[in-house]
Amino acid sequence: MVAIKQRVFNVAIITPYLTEGLERFALCGKDMREQASKYGYSPENLAGKKFIWTQNKAMTKIITPGYENGDKREQLYEDRLREADFVIAGCTSDGEMEVRGLKGSGLIIARYSTFYGRESDYTGNRPEQSGYSLDIPKDTNIVRILLAHDPFLEGLVERDQRKIEGSIAELNEDLNQSILVTPYLVEALKR
């Protein structure tokens, strides 16, 4: 019997708002009501998830850097980023600076932020100026839907702008807030 190799997509998620549970935030003395109301934290996030199954039974493997002291992220090593087909990052002051440092690397990075659809309050930059190719509403369900959508993931791996944009347009038809493609996507795909 011949084993069929399962398709795996690798997604690095470098924001605690998508990967950390309530207990981790509480340990750091964070006021959870403030985290939810002001910063969009949802306890229904991807905490503890190692993968998400796609519609076609492929696997989206979730790569996280790990966190210390609540919101101080450990250094994400280059080899961990190199294995990523896609990155979802927050937009804290430090996080935005890190994404700026990755600009030109060819990584396709989505911003997951309360600044969705506008410039960052920290720098005044639009997402594309900092190196984000997509702007995702701060809604964990939208992230789940995106990470389970084979046409989007395949477009990323193939680095095909039309497939990426077409799959997002298709997804947006059923979303209450659209995933935005920034002009930087074209630049990221050139690398």
Side-chain angles (χ1 to χ4, degrees):
M1 177 175 245
V2 176
I4 298 172
K5 187 173 180 178
Q6 181 175 26
R7 183 86 191 253
V8 177
F9 301 101
N10 295 305
V11 177
I13 299 180
I14 54 176
T15 173
Y17 284 91
L18 277 173
T19 59
E20 293 297 321
L22 276 171
E23 64 286 342
R24 186 66 147 149
F25 273 90
L27 280 173
C28 301
K30 302 284 186 185
D31 176 346
M32 295 318 297
R33 289 176 301 226
E34 180 182 44
Q35 293 299 311
S37 66
K38 284 177 83 173
Y39 306 114
Y41 177 76
S42 169
E44 305 299 319
N45 66 12
L46 304 175
K49 284 238 182 243
K50 300 292 182 201
F51 60 87
I52 292 174
W53 293 109
T54 71
Q55 299 153 329
N56 293 334
K57 304 300 180 212
M59 179 192 295
T60 300
K61 180 181 169 190
I62 298 172
I63 303 164
T64 60
Y67 295 86
E68 291 179 335
N69 303 323
D71 62 343
K72 181 164 173 67
R73 191 159 28 85
E74 294 174 14
Q75 182 64 37
L76 227 187
Y77 298 104
E78 285 185 30
D79 58 334
R80 301 220 49 210
L81 278 178
R82 261 189 241 117
E83 68 182 279
D85 299 310
F86 181 51
V87 177
I88 300 175
C91 190
T92 61
S93 201
D94 289 343
E96 190 174 349
M97 191 177 338
E98 184 174 13
V99 170
R100 258 192 115 91
L102 295 169
K103 197 172 178 181
S105 69
L107 282 171
I108 298 171
I109 304 172
R111 180 174 79 162
Y112 182 76
S113 171
T114 57
F115 306 135
Y116 164 75
R118 62 185 179 87
E119 66 282 339
S120 162
D121 285 354
Y122 299 119
T123 63
N125 289 337
R126 304 249 344 126
E128 61 271 18
Q129 291 173 298
S130 294
Y132 297 98
S133 297
L134 302 176
D135 200 10
I136 302 175
K138 204 153 188 185
D139 180 333
T140 57
N141 289 324
I142 290 175
V143 172
R144 278 191 185 88
I145 290 166
L146 184 65
L147 297 184
H149 193 64
D150 293 277
F152 169 72
L153 297 163
E154 290 164 4
L156 287 172
V157 171
E158 295 168 17
R159 299 187 67 77
D160 184 319
Q161 180 184 348
R162 285 186 184 170
K163 281 188 178 180
I164 293 168
E165 290 175 342
S167 64
I168 289 173
E170 177 187 319
L171 283 174
N172 284 342
E173 290 175 9
D174 296 323
L175 298 176
N176 58 354
Q177 285 186 290
S178 297
I179 297 166
L180 306 175
V181 176
T182 78
Y184 187 70
L185 176 64
V186 174
E187 292 302 312
L189 290 171
K190 288 180 184 176
R191 309 276 186 246

